[in-house]
Every structure is written in structure tokens, then in C-alpha cells.
Coordinates of all heavy atoms in Angstrom, one line a residue:
M1 N -8.3 -15.8 6.1 CA -8.3 -14.4 6.4 C -9.3 -13.7 5.4 O -9.2 -13.9 4.2 CB -6.9 -13.9 6.1 CG -6.8 -12.4 6.4 SD -5.1 -11.8 6.4 CE -4.6 -12.0 4.7
D2 N -10.2 -13.0 6.0 CA -11.2 -12.3 5.2 C -11.0 -10.8 5.4 O -11.2 -10.3 6.4 CB -12.6 -12.8 5.7 CG -13.7 -12.2 4.9 OD1 -13.5 -11.9 3.7 OD2 -14.8 -12.1 5.4
L3 N -10.6 -10.2 4.3 CA -10.4 -8.7 4.3 C -11.4 -8.1 3.3 O -11.7 -8.6 2.3 CB -9.0 -8.4 3.9 CG -7.9 -8.8 4.8 CD1 -6.6 -8.4 4.1 CD2 -8.0 -8.0 6.1
E4 N -11.9 -6.9 3.7 CA -12.7 -6.1 2.8 C -11.8 -5.2 2.0 O -11.2 -4.3 2.6 CB -13.7 -5.3 3.6 CG -14.6 -4.4 2.7 CD -15.4 -5.2 1.7 OE1 -16.0 -6.2 2.1 OE2 -15.5 -4.8 0.6
L5 N -11.6 -5.5 0.7 CA -10.7 -4.8 -0.1 C -11.3 -3.7 -0.9 O -10.6 -2.9 -1.6 CB -9.9 -5.7 -1.0 CG -9.0 -6.7 -0.2 CD1 -8.3 -7.6 -1.2 CD2 -8.0 -6.0 0.6
A6 N -12.6 -3.7 -0.9 CA -13.3 -2.7 -1.7 C -12.9 -1.3 -1.2 O -13.0 -1.0 0.0 CB -14.8 -2.8 -1.6
Q7 N -12.5 -0.5 -2.1 CA -12.1 0.9 -1.8 C -10.9 1.0 -0.9 O -10.6 2.1 -0.4 CB -13.2 1.7 -1.3 CG -14.4 1.8 -2.2 CD -15.6 2.6 -1.7 OE1 -15.6 2.9 -0.5 NE2 -16.5 2.9 -2.5
F8 N -10.2 -0.1 -0.7 CA -9.0 0.0 0.2 C -8.0 1.0 -0.3 O -7.5 1.8 0.4 CB -8.4 -1.4 0.3 CG -7.0 -1.4 1.0 CD1 -7.0 -1.4 2.3 CD2 -5.9 -1.4 0.2 CE1 -5.7 -1.4 3.0 CE2 -4.6 -1.4 0.9 CZ -4.6 -1.4 2.3
F9 N -7.7 0.9 -1.6 CA -6.7 1.8 -2.2 C -7.0 3.2 -2.2 O -6.2 4.1 -2.4 CB -6.2 1.3 -3.6 CG -5.5 0.0 -3.5 CD1 -6.1 -1.2 -3.8 CD2 -4.1 0.0 -3.1 CE1 -5.4 -2.4 -3.7 CE2 -3.4 -1.2 -3.0 CZ -4.0 -2.4 -3.3
D10 N -8.3 3.5 -2.1 CA -8.8 4.9 -2.0 C -8.5 5.5 -0.7 O -8.6 6.7 -0.5 CB -10.3 5.0 -2.3 CG -10.6 4.7 -3.7 OD1 -9.7 4.8 -4.6 OD2 -11.8 4.2 -4.0
R11 N -8.1 4.7 0.3 CA -8.0 5.2 1.7 C -6.6 5.0 2.3 O -6.4 5.2 3.5 CB -9.0 4.5 2.6 CG -10.4 4.8 2.2 CD -11.4 4.3 3.2 NE -12.7 4.7 2.8 CZ -13.7 3.9 2.7 NH1 -13.6 2.6 2.8 NH2 -14.9 4.4 2.3
V12 N -5.6 4.6 1.4 CA -4.3 4.4 1.9 C -3.7 5.7 2.4 O -3.7 6.7 1.8 CB -3.4 3.8 0.8 CG1 -1.9 3.8 1.2 CG2 -3.9 2.5 0.4
N13 N -3.1 5.6 3.6 CA -2.5 6.8 4.2 C -1.1 6.9 3.6 O -0.3 6.0 3.7 CB -2.4 6.6 5.8 CG -1.7 7.7 6.5 OD1 -0.6 8.1 6.2 ND2 -2.5 8.4 7.3
H14 N -0.8 8.1 3.0 CA 0.5 8.3 2.3 C 1.7 8.2 3.3 O 2.7 7.7 2.9 CB 0.5 9.7 1.6 CG -0.5 9.7 0.5 ND1 -0.7 10.9 -0.2 CD2 -1.3 8.8 -0.1 CE1 -1.6 10.6 -1.2 NE2 -1.9 9.4 -1.1
D15 N 1.5 8.8 4.5 CA 2.7 8.7 5.4 C 3.0 7.3 5.8 O 4.2 7.0 5.9 CB 2.4 9.6 6.6 CG 2.2 11.1 6.3 OD1 2.9 11.5 5.3 OD2 1.4 11.8 6.9
I16 N 2.0 6.5 6.1 CA 2.3 5.1 6.5 C 3.0 4.4 5.3 O 3.9 3.6 5.5 CB 1.0 4.4 7.0 CG1 0.6 5.1 8.3 CG2 1.3 2.9 7.1 CD1 -0.8 4.6 8.7
L17 N 2.4 4.6 4.1 CA 2.9 3.9 2.9 C 4.4 4.3 2.7 O 5.3 3.5 2.5 CB 2.1 4.2 1.7 CG 2.6 3.7 0.4 CD1 2.8 2.1 0.4 CD2 1.7 4.1 -0.7
M18 N 4.7 5.6 2.8 CA 6.0 6.1 2.5 C 7.0 5.6 3.6 O 8.2 5.3 3.3 CB 6.1 7.6 2.5 CG 5.4 8.2 1.3 SD 6.0 7.6 -0.3 CE 7.7 8.0 -0.3
E19 N 6.5 5.4 4.8 CA 7.4 4.9 5.9 C 7.8 3.4 5.6 O 8.9 3.0 5.8 CB 6.6 5.0 7.2 CG 7.4 4.5 8.4 CD 6.5 4.6 9.7 OE1 6.1 5.7 10.0 OE2 6.3 3.6 10.3
R20 N 6.8 2.7 5.1 CA 7.1 1.3 4.8 C 8.0 1.2 3.6 O 8.9 0.3 3.5 CB 5.8 0.5 4.5 CG 5.0 0.3 5.8 CD 3.8 -0.5 5.6 NE 3.0 -0.6 6.8 CZ 1.9 -1.1 6.9 NH1 1.2 -1.6 5.9 NH2 1.3 -1.2 8.1
L21 N 7.8 2.0 2.6 CA 8.7 2.0 1.4 C 10.1 2.4 1.8 O 11.1 1.9 1.3 CB 8.1 2.9 0.3 CG 6.9 2.5 -0.3 CD1 6.4 3.6 -1.3 CD2 7.0 1.2 -1.1
A22 N 10.2 3.4 2.7 CA 11.6 3.9 3.1 C 12.4 2.8 3.8 O 13.6 2.8 3.8 CB 11.4 5.1 4.0
K23 N 11.7 1.8 4.4 CA 12.4 0.7 5.0 C 13.1 -0.2 4.0 O 14.0 -0.9 4.3 CB 11.4 -0.2 5.8 CG 10.9 0.5 7.1 CD 9.9 -0.4 7.8 CE 9.3 0.2 9.0 NZ 8.3 -0.7 9.6
R24 N 12.6 -0.2 2.7 CA 13.1 -1.0 1.7 C 13.9 -0.3 0.6 O 14.6 -0.9 -0.1 CB 12.0 -1.8 1.0 CG 11.2 -2.7 2.0 CD 10.0 -3.2 1.3 NE 9.3 -4.1 2.2 CZ 9.0 -5.4 1.8 NH1 9.2 -5.8 0.6 NH2 8.4 -6.2 2.7
I25 N 13.6 1.0 0.5 CA 14.2 1.8 -0.6 C 15.2 2.8 0.0 O 14.7 3.6 0.8 CB 13.1 2.4 -1.5 CG1 12.2 1.4 -2.0 CG2 13.8 3.3 -2.5 CD1 11.0 2.0 -2.7
D26 N 16.4 2.8 -0.4 CA 17.4 3.7 0.1 C 17.5 5.0 -0.7 O 18.0 6.0 -0.3 CB 18.8 3.1 0.2 CG 18.9 2.0 1.2 OD1 18.2 2.1 2.2 OD2 19.6 1.0 1.0
D27 N 17.0 4.9 -2.0 CA 17.2 6.0 -2.9 C 16.1 7.1 -2.6 O 15.0 7.0 -2.8 CB 16.9 5.5 -4.3 CG 17.2 6.5 -5.4 OD1 17.2 7.8 -5.1 OD2 17.4 6.1 -6.6
K28 N 16.6 8.2 -2.0 CA 15.8 9.3 -1.6 C 15.1 10.0 -2.8 O 13.9 10.5 -2.7 CB 16.6 10.4 -0.8 CG 17.2 9.9 0.4 CD 16.2 9.3 1.4 CE 16.9 8.8 2.6 NZ 16.1 8.0 3.4
H29 N 15.7 10.0 -4.0 CA 15.1 10.6 -5.2 C 13.9 9.8 -5.6 O 12.9 10.3 -6.0 CB 16.1 10.7 -6.3 CG 17.3 11.6 -6.0 ND1 17.1 13.0 -5.9 CD2 18.6 11.4 -5.7 CE1 18.3 13.5 -5.6 NE2 19.2 12.6 -5.5
L30 N 14.0 8.5 -5.5 CA 12.9 7.6 -5.9 C 11.8 7.7 -4.9 O 10.6 7.8 -5.3 CB 13.4 6.1 -6.0 CG 12.3 5.1 -6.3 CD1 11.7 5.4 -7.6 CD2 12.9 3.7 -6.3
L31 N 12.1 7.8 -3.6 CA 11.0 8.0 -2.6 C 10.3 9.3 -2.9 O 9.1 9.4 -2.8 CB 11.6 8.0 -1.2 CG 12.1 6.6 -0.8 CD1 12.9 6.7 0.5 CD2 10.9 5.6 -0.6
R32 N 11.0 10.4 -3.2 CA 10.4 11.7 -3.5 C 9.5 11.6 -4.7 O 8.4 12.2 -4.7 CB 11.5 12.7 -3.7 CG 11.0 14.1 -3.6 CD 12.1 15.2 -3.6 NE 13.3 14.6 -2.9 CZ 14.5 14.8 -3.2 NH1 14.8 15.7 -4.2 NH2 15.5 14.3 -2.6
L33 N 10.0 10.9 -5.7 CA 9.1 10.7 -6.9 C 7.8 9.9 -6.6 O 6.8 10.3 -7.1 CB 10.0 9.9 -8.0 CG 9.3 9.7 -9.4 CD1 9.0 11.1 -10.0 CD2 10.2 8.9 -10.2
I34 N 8.0 8.9 -5.8 CA 6.8 8.1 -5.4 C 5.8 9.0 -4.6 O 4.6 9.0 -4.8 CB 7.2 6.9 -4.6 CG1 7.9 5.9 -5.5 CG2 5.9 6.2 -4.0 CD1 8.5 4.7 -4.8
R35 N 6.4 9.8 -3.7 CA 5.5 10.7 -2.9 C 4.8 11.7 -3.8 O 3.6 12.0 -3.7 CB 6.4 11.5 -1.9 CG 5.7 12.6 -1.2 CD 4.6 12.2 -0.3 NE 5.2 11.7 1.0 CZ 4.4 11.5 2.1 NH1 3.1 11.7 2.0 NH2 5.0 11.1 3.2
R36 N 5.5 12.2 -4.8 CA 4.9 13.2 -5.8 C 3.8 12.5 -6.6 O 2.7 13.1 -6.8 CB 5.9 13.8 -6.7 CG 6.8 14.8 -6.1 CD 7.8 15.3 -7.0 NE 8.7 16.3 -6.4 CZ 9.8 16.7 -6.9 NH1 10.2 16.3 -8.1 NH2 10.5 17.6 -6.2
Q37 N 4.0 11.2 -7.0 CA 3.0 10.5 -7.7 C 1.7 10.3 -6.8 O 0.6 10.4 -7.3 CB 3.5 9.1 -8.1 CG 2.6 8.3 -8.9 CD 2.3 8.8 -10.3 OE1 3.1 9.4 -10.9 NE2 1.1 8.6 -10.8
L38 N 2.0 10.0 -5.5 CA 0.8 9.8 -4.6 C 0.0 11.1 -4.4 O -1.2 11.1 -4.3 CB 1.3 9.3 -3.3 CG 1.8 7.9 -3.2 CD1 2.5 7.6 -1.8 CD2 0.7 6.9 -3.4
A39 N 0.7 12.2 -4.4 CA 0.1 13.5 -4.1 C -0.5 14.1 -5.3 O -1.3 15.0 -5.2 CB 1.1 14.4 -3.5
A40 N -0.2 13.6 -6.5 CA -0.7 14.2 -7.7 C -2.2 14.0 -7.7 O -2.8 13.0 -7.4 CB -0.1 13.5 -9.0
G41 N -2.9 15.1 -8.1 CA -4.4 15.1 -8.1 C -4.9 14.2 -9.2 O -4.2 13.8 -10.1
A42 N -6.2 14.0 -9.2 CA -6.9 13.3 -10.2 C -7.9 14.3 -10.9 O -8.5 15.1 -10.2 CB -7.7 12.1 -9.6
M43 N -8.0 14.1 -12.2 CA -8.9 15.0 -12.9 C -10.3 14.4 -13.0 O -10.4 13.3 -13.4 CB -8.3 15.3 -14.3 CG -9.2 16.4 -15.0 SD -8.4 16.9 -16.5 CE -7.1 17.9 -15.9
A44 N -11.3 15.2 -12.6 CA -12.7 14.7 -12.8 C -13.5 15.9 -13.4 O -13.5 17.0 -12.8 CB -13.2 14.4 -11.4
N45 N -14.0 15.6 -14.5 CA -14.8 16.6 -15.2 C -14.0 17.9 -15.5 O -14.5 19.0 -15.4 CB -16.1 17.0 -14.5 CG -17.0 15.8 -14.3 OD1 -17.1 14.9 -15.2 ND2 -17.6 15.6 -13.1
G46 N -12.7 17.7 -15.8 CA -11.9 18.8 -16.2 C -11.3 19.6 -15.0 O -10.7 20.6 -15.2
V47 N -11.6 19.2 -13.8 CA -11.1 19.8 -12.6 C -10.1 18.9 -11.9 O -10.5 17.8 -11.6 CB -12.3 20.2 -11.7 CG1 -11.8 20.9 -10.4 CG2 -13.3 21.1 -12.4
V48 N -8.9 19.4 -11.6 CA -8.0 18.6 -10.8 C -8.3 18.7 -9.3 O -8.5 19.7 -8.7 CB -6.5 19.1 -11.0 CG1 -5.6 18.3 -10.2 CG2 -6.2 19.0 -12.5
M49 N -8.5 17.5 -8.7 CA -8.8 17.4 -7.3 C -7.6 16.8 -6.6 O -7.1 15.8 -7.0 CB -10.0 16.5 -7.2 CG -11.2 16.9 -7.9 SD -12.7 15.9 -7.8 CE -13.1 16.1 -6.1
A50 N -7.2 17.5 -5.5 CA -6.0 17.1 -4.8 C -6.3 15.8 -4.1 O -7.5 15.5 -3.8 CB -5.7 18.2 -3.7
R51 N -5.2 15.0 -3.9 CA -5.4 13.7 -3.3 C -4.5 13.7 -2.0 O -3.3 13.9 -2.1 CB -4.9 12.6 -4.2 CG -4.9 11.3 -3.6 CD -4.3 10.2 -4.5 NE -4.5 10.6 -5.9 CZ -4.4 9.8 -6.9 NH1 -4.0 8.5 -6.7 NH2 -4.6 10.1 -8.2
E52 N -5.2 13.5 -0.9 CA -4.5 13.5 0.4 C -4.3 12.0 0.9 O -3.6 11.8 1.8 CB -5.2 14.3 1.4 CG -5.2 15.8 1.0 CD -5.9 16.7 2.0 OE1 -6.2 16.2 3.1 OE2 -6.2 17.8 1.6
E53 N -5.1 11.1 0.3 CA -4.9 9.7 0.7 C -5.3 8.9 -0.5 O -5.8 9.4 -1.5 CB -5.8 9.4 1.9 CG -7.3 9.5 1.6 CD -8.2 9.1 2.8 OE1 -7.6 8.9 3.9 OE2 -9.4 9.1 2.7
G54 N -4.9 7.6 -0.5 CA -5.2 6.8 -1.6 C -4.1 6.7 -2.6 O -3.1 7.4 -2.5
T55 N -4.1 5.7 -3.4 CA -3.1 5.4 -4.4 C -3.7 5.5 -5.8 O -4.9 5.2 -6.0 CB -2.4 4.1 -4.2 OG1 -3.4 3.0 -4.4 CG2 -1.8 3.9 -2.9
P56 N -2.9 5.9 -6.8 CA -3.4 5.9 -8.2 C -3.7 4.5 -8.7 O -2.9 3.6 -8.5 CB -2.3 6.6 -9.0 CG -1.1 6.4 -8.2 CD -1.5 6.3 -6.7
Q57 N -4.9 4.3 -9.2 CA -5.2 2.9 -9.7 C -5.0 2.8 -11.2 O -5.2 3.8 -12.0 CB -6.7 2.6 -9.4 CG -6.9 2.5 -7.9 CD -6.0 1.4 -7.3 OE1 -6.2 0.3 -7.6 NE2 -5.1 1.8 -6.5
G58 N -4.5 1.7 -11.6 CA -4.2 1.5 -13.0 C -2.9 2.0 -13.5 O -2.5 1.8 -14.7
G59 N -2.1 2.6 -12.7 CA -0.9 3.2 -13.0 C 0.3 2.2 -12.8 O 0.0 1.1 -12.2
P60 N 1.4 2.5 -13.3 CA 2.6 1.5 -13.2 C 3.0 1.3 -11.7 O 3.6 0.3 -11.5 CB 3.7 2.2 -14.0 CG 3.3 3.6 -14.1 CD 1.8 3.7 -14.0
L61 N 2.7 2.2 -10.8 CA 3.1 2.0 -9.4 C 2.2 1.2 -8.6 O 2.5 0.7 -7.6 CB 3.2 3.4 -8.7 CG 4.4 4.2 -9.0 CD1 4.4 5.5 -8.3 CD2 5.7 3.5 -8.7
S62 N 1.0 1.0 -9.1 CA -0.1 0.3 -8.3 C 0.4 -1.1 -7.8 O 0.2 -1.4 -6.6 CB -1.4 0.2 -9.1 OG -1.9 1.5 -9.3
P63 N 0.9 -1.9 -8.7 CA 1.3 -3.3 -8.2 C 2.4 -3.2 -7.1 O 2.3 -3.9 -6.1 CB 1.8 -4.0 -9.4 CG 1.2 -3.3 -10.6 CD 1.1 -1.8 -10.1
M64 N 3.4 -2.3 -7.3 CA 4.4 -2.2 -6.3 C 3.9 -1.7 -5.0 O 4.3 -2.2 -3.9 CB 5.6 -1.3 -6.8 CG 6.7 -1.3 -5.8 SD 7.6 0.2 -5.5 CE 6.5 1.6 -5.6
L65 N 3.0 -0.7 -5.0 CA 2.5 -0.1 -3.8 C 1.6 -1.2 -3.1 O 1.6 -1.3 -1.9 CB 1.6 1.1 -4.1 CG 2.4 2.3 -4.7 CD1 1.5 3.4 -5.1 CD2 3.5 2.7 -3.8
A66 N 0.9 -2.0 -3.8 CA 0.1 -3.0 -3.2 C 0.9 -4.1 -2.5 O 0.7 -4.5 -1.4 CB -0.8 -3.7 -4.3
N67 N 2.0 -4.4 -3.2 CA 2.9 -5.4 -2.6 C 3.5 -4.9 -1.3 O 3.7 -5.6 -0.3 CB 4.1 -5.8 -3.5 CG 3.6 -6.7 -4.6 OD1 2.5 -7.4 -4.5 ND2 4.3 -6.8 -5.7
A68 N 3.9 -3.6 -1.3 CA 4.5 -3.0 -0.1 C 3.5 -3.0 1.1 O 3.9 -3.2 2.2 CB 4.9 -1.6 -0.4
L69 N 2.2 -2.7 0.8 CA 1.2 -2.7 1.8 C 0.9 -4.1 2.3 O 0.7 -4.3 3.5 CB 0.0 -2.0 1.3 CG 0.1 -0.5 1.1 CD1 -1.1 0.0 0.4 CD2 0.3 0.2 2.4
F70 N 0.7 -5.0 1.4 CA 0.2 -6.3 1.8 C 1.3 -7.3 2.3 O 1.0 -8.3 2.9 CB -0.6 -7.0 0.7 CG -1.9 -6.3 0.4 CD1 -2.2 -5.8 -0.8 CD2 -2.8 -6.1 1.4 CE1 -3.4 -5.2 -1.1 CE2 -4.0 -5.5 1.2 CZ -4.3 -5.0 0.0
D71 N 2.5 -7.0 2.0 CA 3.6 -7.8 2.5 C 3.6 -8.0 4.0 O 3.8 -9.1 4.5 CB 5.0 -7.3 2.0 CG 6.1 -8.3 2.2 OD1 5.9 -9.5 1.9 OD2 7.1 -7.8 2.8
E72 N 3.4 -6.9 4.7 CA 3.4 -7.0 6.2 C 2.2 -7.8 6.7 O 2.3 -8.5 7.6 CB 3.5 -5.6 6.8 CG 4.9 -5.0 6.7 CD 5.0 -3.7 7.4 OE1 4.3 -3.5 8.4 OE2 5.8 -2.9 7.0
V73 N 1.1 -7.6 6.0 CA -0.2 -8.3 6.4 C 0.0 -9.8 6.2 O -0.3 -10.6 7.0 CB -1.4 -7.8 5.6 CG1 -2.6 -8.7 5.8 CG2 -1.7 -6.4 5.9
D74 N 0.6 -10.1 5.0 CA 0.9 -11.5 4.7 C 1.8 -12.1 5.7 O 1.6 -13.2 6.2 CB 1.4 -11.6 3.3 CG 1.7 -13.0 2.8 OD1 0.8 -13.9 3.0 OD2 2.8 -13.3 2.3
A75 N 2.9 -11.4 6.0 CA 3.9 -11.9 6.9 C 3.3 -12.1 8.3 O 3.6 -13.1 9.0 CB 5.1 -11.0 7.0
S76 N 2.4 -11.2 8.7 CA 1.8 -11.4 10.1 C 0.9 -12.6 10.1 O 0.6 -13.1 11.2 CB 1.1 -10.1 10.4 OG -0.1 -10.0 9.7
Q77 N 0.3 -13.0 9.0 CA -0.6 -14.1 9.0 C 0.1 -15.5 8.9 O -0.5 -16.5 9.3 CB -1.6 -14.0 7.8 CG -2.5 -12.8 8.0 CD -3.3 -12.8 9.2 OE1 -4.0 -13.8 9.5 NE2 -3.3 -11.8 10.0
R78 N 1.3 -15.5 8.4 CA 2.0 -16.7 8.3 C 2.3 -17.2 9.7 O 2.8 -16.5 10.6 CB 3.4 -16.5 7.6 CG 3.2 -16.4 6.1 CD 4.5 -16.4 5.4 NE 4.3 -15.7 4.2 CZ 5.2 -14.8 3.6 NH1 6.3 -14.6 4.2 NH2 4.9 -14.2 2.5
G79 N 2.1 -18.5 9.9 CA 2.5 -19.1 11.2 C 1.4 -19.0 12.2 O 1.5 -19.6 13.3
K80 N 0.3 -18.3 12.0 CA -0.8 -18.2 12.9 C -1.6 -19.5 12.9 O -1.7 -20.2 11.9 CB -1.7 -17.1 12.6 CG -1.1 -15.7 13.0 CD -2.2 -14.7 13.0 CE -1.6 -13.4 13.6 NZ -2.6 -12.4 13.7
V81 N -2.1 -19.9 14.1 CA -2.8 -21.2 14.2 C -4.2 -20.9 13.7 O -4.9 -19.9 14.0 CB -2.8 -21.6 15.6 CG1 -3.7 -22.9 15.8 CG2 -1.4 -21.9 16.1
C82 N -4.7 -21.8 12.8 CA -6.1 -21.8 12.3 C -7.0 -22.0 13.5 O -6.8 -22.8 14.3 CB -6.4 -22.8 11.3 SG -5.5 -22.6 9.8
S83 N -8.1 -21.2 13.6 CA -9.0 -21.3 14.7 C -9.7 -22.7 14.6 O -10.3 -23.1 13.6 CB -10.1 -20.2 14.7 OG -10.8 -20.2 13.4
G84 N -9.7 -23.5 15.7 CA -10.3 -24.7 15.8 C -9.6 -25.9 15.1 O -10.0 -27.0 15.2
A85 N -8.6 -25.6 14.3 CA -8.0 -26.6 13.5 C -6.8 -27.2 14.2 O -6.4 -28.4 14.0 CB -7.5 -26.1 12.1
G86 N -6.1 -26.5 15.1 CA -5.0 -27.0 15.8 C -3.8 -27.2 15.0 O -2.8 -27.9 15.3
R87 N -3.7 -26.6 13.8 CA -2.5 -26.7 13.0 C -2.2 -25.3 12.4 O -3.1 -24.4 12.4 CB -2.7 -27.7 11.8 CG -3.9 -27.4 10.9 CD -4.1 -28.6 10.0 NE -5.4 -28.5 9.4 CZ -5.7 -27.8 8.2 NH1 -4.7 -27.2 7.6 NH2 -6.9 -27.7 7.7
R88 N -1.0 -25.1 11.9 CA -0.6 -23.8 11.3 C -1.3 -23.5 10.0 O -1.5 -24.4 9.2 CB 0.9 -23.8 11.2 CG 1.6 -23.9 12.5 CD 2.9 -23.2 12.4 NE 3.6 -23.2 13.7 CZ 3.5 -22.2 14.5 NH1 2.8 -21.2 14.3 NH2 4.1 -22.3 15.7
A89 N -1.7 -22.3 9.9 CA -2.4 -21.9 8.6 C -1.3 -21.8 7.5 O -0.2 -21.4 7.8 CB -3.1 -20.5 8.8
Q90 N -1.7 -22.1 6.3 CA -0.9 -21.9 5.2 C -1.5 -20.8 4.3 O -2.6 -20.9 3.8 CB -0.8 -23.1 4.3 CG -0.1 -24.2 5.0 CD 0.1 -25.5 4.1 OE1 -0.4 -25.5 3.0 NE2 0.8 -26.5 4.6
V91 N -0.8 -19.6 4.3 CA -1.2 -18.5 3.5 C -0.4 -18.4 2.3 O 0.8 -18.5 2.3 CB -1.0 -17.2 4.4 CG1 -1.5 -16.0 3.6 CG2 -1.8 -17.3 5.7
S92 N -1.1 -18.4 1.1 CA -0.4 -18.3 -0.1 C -0.7 -17.0 -0.8 O -1.5 -16.3 -0.5 CB -0.7 -19.5 -1.0 OG -2.1 -19.7 -1.1

């Protein structure tokens, strides 16, 4: 599987991400906190710029958000037949 991951996290749709998280997290307060973290702006040259898409990089939430997004991609790739190989692909 060949994915272009450059700038992927800068383009994450907040609504889709929150929908996926809501499937796994029952705590509405936690979901609201995650939404606020996603919506928090980034400061560039002393000016706060609003964020409508993308995830914060280098923060404590980044690994969890990455797992939530890539889990479905990983699951969809498991069990697919390798092209030309005639056997099941092993995705690790």
C-alpha cells in the first residue's frame, strides 16, 4: 500500500475525525475537549490563525488521532489479495 502522507495531517476533516472518535468514545465531555483542541488556532508570527481542518502536530493528542484515522485504513487493507501474487496480503 503506497500512501502519500506528506501534509496529510494538515488536511484532516474535523467532522469526519470526530465521527470516527464518537464511535469509540462514549464520554461527551472528552469528545468536546478533543473538538476544542482541533479547533484551537495556531500562532504564527504573533497572530492566531483559526484552524478549520488539520490536527495539531507534536501535541499529546497527535498519536491517538493518527491511530483513529489509520485504524480503518489498516482494517480495510487486511485480507485483500496482493495484485498478481494470488495470496493474501499481510499488513503490519
